[in-house]
Amino acid sequence: MKKLLLGSTALVVGGLMAAPAMAADPIKVGVGGYYTFYAVAGGISSSYATNGTSTQYKGLFFQQEGEIHFVGQTKLDNGTSVGVNVELEAWNPNAGATGSVATIDEAFLFAFGDWGRVEFGSRDAASYRMYYGAPSALIGYGAIQHNHNVANAMSSTFNKAYFHSTTATNTAAWQDTQRINYFTPRFQGLQIGVGYTPKINTPSGSIYGSTGLATGPGGLGSGGFGACGFAGASNVGQCAINDYAYQDGFDIGANYLNKFGDVTVAAYGSFAYAAFNPGYNALATSASQITGSNLAAWTMWAAGLQFGYKGITLGGSIGYDNQGMGSNYYTGVDNATRFASAGIMYETGPWQMSFMWMGAINSNGNGSNTVQSIASGTNAATLNGSGGAAGTFAGTPGVNSTVFGGSYALAFGAETANKFELGANYALGPGVKLTGGAFINNQSGPSNAVTGNTWAILMGMDVRF
């Protein structure tokens, strides 16, 4: 069983504020990182609109993702170690709304000692990284390593449950925001981590689905530099508090590790909350009096358990995420996703093999749009109520609204997503692994916008340096 956190002890803030001490040696920066490549063969279901237009997807392609890490640290005379970590993307991420490319992933300062560990900067939340649950040998996939995904582009965007069929841990949508994390020393197997981030802006389509909701001052994506709460290393100090975004994100997590004879045990629990700023002006993407969809304070939690015995690791987890949405004004039904995962892994010599399931269900109180048409050769969809041939939602709910009745009414019923994953890797040498596997995933729900399925076989290599 491998720990997600590097080191079980680190430093409390008080240790940093001790009497001045000169480091024995200046910080020297080393280079590390990883690179993962896959050849993928499979089938992705086509997307169809009600007017007969469609988009088909090629079933053979390549995936690659990697980072180059620049890490340096020094140990002060008072026993405190202080360092810096900057992670350079080794590939070109999605250019995002501004046309810029995010070249830096995480960038943060850290310090640790006998008192715990503290981190400042662009970093994953403490409770995210403390996860223990379903194990996976398919590198870059699994319940926490969701660097790669393969799915129908339409349903993975509009199905609100899809996001948590790719990740089972806490605060996954808050990754890399500017924050502070603190981890206690591990005592009797128990460690606690807490974190705080001032702003969160995450307009992910797979989180809000086709509700028309979006947060903040505009499209962010990986190129949204200059926007407060952007998920990446940034230097923004003029953050509005009425920008229809989330603020004061707090998370807490704990894990417990122990060994009883040949049996290892790992338990995990976490909770997170962020307030929502509705602003002072009308903003249709924040709350709609027509459809009843609205954004609200963000709450989520996750818990997991893992057992190991002579090379066998068995684990699973459950969780809840309201995805920053409130209950629909008119249906009274929430838009929260409940998710779970379970898996088993066997390790012997250089081999790791695993089987894992992840599933999620969203209550869908806001309803699902229907795809009326698709632009040729693209995923650009015209949805009912979004204009064009489909018209525009209008009227008074409960009286003559086109949202809940008529030709273009929303479809209601749960949205679901499931993934079954088989993985294996073989260590060729230090830091070099052959990896591969197969998976099936499907999304289902009450409309053509949220339904799709995919199967794939993967073969590749993972290099750590």
Side-chain angles (χ1 to χ4, degrees):
M1 203 181 308
K2 295 179 174 61
K3 295 178 59 177
L4 295 178
L5 297 180
L6 298 178
S8 61
T9 61
L11 158 84
V12 292
V13 176
L16 287 175
M17 301 176 66
M22 297 299 293
D25 295 297
I27 292 178
K28 296 179 180 179
V29 175
V31 177
Y34 68 92
Y35 201 87
T36 308
F37 174 88
Y38 278 111
V40 184
I44 303 173
S45 63
S46 300
S47 298
Y48 291 97
T50 56
N51 71 345
T53 55
S54 64
T55 293
Q56 287 75 42
Y57 306 96
K58 188 171 180 61
L60 179 63
F61 53 92
F62 302 126
Q63 290 182 323
Q64 59 181 356
E65 199 271 341
E67 295 175 355
I68 300 172
H69 298 171
F70 301 93
V71 184
Q73 69 181 55
T74 187
K75 190 171 185 178
L76 307 180
D77 292 342
N78 63 5
T80 297
S81 293
V82 179
V84 61
N85 185 107
V86 177
E87 300 176 0
L88 174 69
E89 296 286 7
W91 62 298
N92 287 329
N94 177 11
T98 68
S100 302
V101 173
T103 55
I104 300 297
D105 183 27
E106 295 183 346
F108 59 94
L109 299 177
F110 61 88
F112 62 89
D114 293 337
W115 308 272
R117 178 182 175 95
V118 66
E119 301 167 339
F120 303 92
S122 172
R123 185 66 160 137
D124 292 338
S127 63
Y128 173 87
R129 286 155 44 226
M130 300 183 80
Y131 173 86
Y132 281 93
S136 174
L138 188 58
I139 298 172
Y141 285 84
I144 184 171
Q145 290 182 308
H146 48 100
N147 290 333
H148 311 285
N149 295 303
V150 181
N152 175 283
M154 193 78 70
S155 61
S156 62
T157 297
F158 293 138
N159 186 301
K160 292 186 285 295
Y162 171 76
F163 181 71
H164 280 294
S165 68
T166 67
T167 177
T169 188
N170 197 30
T171 67
W174 298 4
Q175 285 185 289
D176 300 348
T177 58
Q178 298 286 92
R179 64 170 47 253
I180 179 172
N181 291 327
Y182 168 67
F183 301 92
T184 69
R186 191 170 296 280
F187 178 73
Q188 298 293 315
L190 177 67
Q191 185 176 45
I192 297 173
V194 295
Y196 169 78
T197 180
K199 295 287 292 185
I200 301 165
N201 244 317
T202 174
S204 170
S206 59
I207 293 177
Y208 300 122
S210 57
T211 59
L213 298 175
T215 66
L220 300 182
S222 62
F225 303 109
C228 292
F230 166 67
S234 61
N235 186 23
V236 182
Q238 299 79 28
C239 297
I241 59 171
N242 59 334
D243 61 347
Y244 301 91
Y246 299 93
Q247 70 171 7
D248 297 328
F250 170 79
D251 72 290
I252 182 169
N255 61 33
Y256 171 79
L257 309 178
N258 214 332
K259 186 174 183 180
F260 305 92
D262 292 330
V263 178
T264 58
V265 178
Y268 163 78
S270 62
F271 173 81
Y273 173 89
F276 177 70
N277 274 317
Y280 302 107
N281 302 308
L283 182 64
T285 54
S286 170
S288 173
Q289 298 300 318
I290 300 285
T291 66
S293 61
N294 64 98
L295 298 175
W298 201 327
T299 60
M300 65 189 97
W301 60 264
L305 193 61
Q306 199 176 89
F307 296 97
Y309 177 75
K310 293 186 177 180
I312 299 174
T313 303
L314 179 68
S317 63
I318 58 174
Y320 167 93
D321 185 355
N322 78 346
Q323 300 182 177
M325 292 183 282
S327 297
N328 187 278
Y329 293 151
Y330 306 120
T331 67
V333 179
D334 68 43
N335 293 274
T337 296
R338 284 84 174 171
F339 53 96
S341 67
I344 185 170
M345 183 168 71
Y346 177 64
E347 183 172 4
T348 177
W351 282 98
Q352 284 185 326
M353 295 160 280
S354 68
F355 176 77
M356 188 191 73
W357 163 81
M358 296 177 67
I361 181 169
N362 184 279
S363 303
N364 196 26
N366 288 341
S368 304
N369 286 99
T370 298
V371 179
Q372 302 290 330
S373 65
I374 304 173
S376 178
T378 74
N379 291 308
T382 298
L383 306 174
N384 56 322
S386 63
T392 302
F393 287 142
T396 303
V399 180
N400 60 353
S401 173
T402 58
V403 175
F404 303 104
S407 302
Y408 302 121
L410 292 172
F412 290 90
E415 296 178 358
T416 64
N418 286 276
K419 180 175 74 170
F420 299 89
E421 174 191 292
L422 184 67
N425 65 71
Y426 178 83
L428 295 173
V432 181
K433 288 185 175 183
L434 290 177
T435 181
F439 66 83
I440 298 173
N441 71 47
N442 66 78
Q443 300 84 48
S444 62
S447 80
N448 61 349
V450 299
T451 303
N453 58 77
T454 300
W455 67 270
I457 299 173
L458 307 91
M459 180 64 70
M461 178 173 285
D462 180 79
V463 177
R464 307 277 155 160
F465 54 91

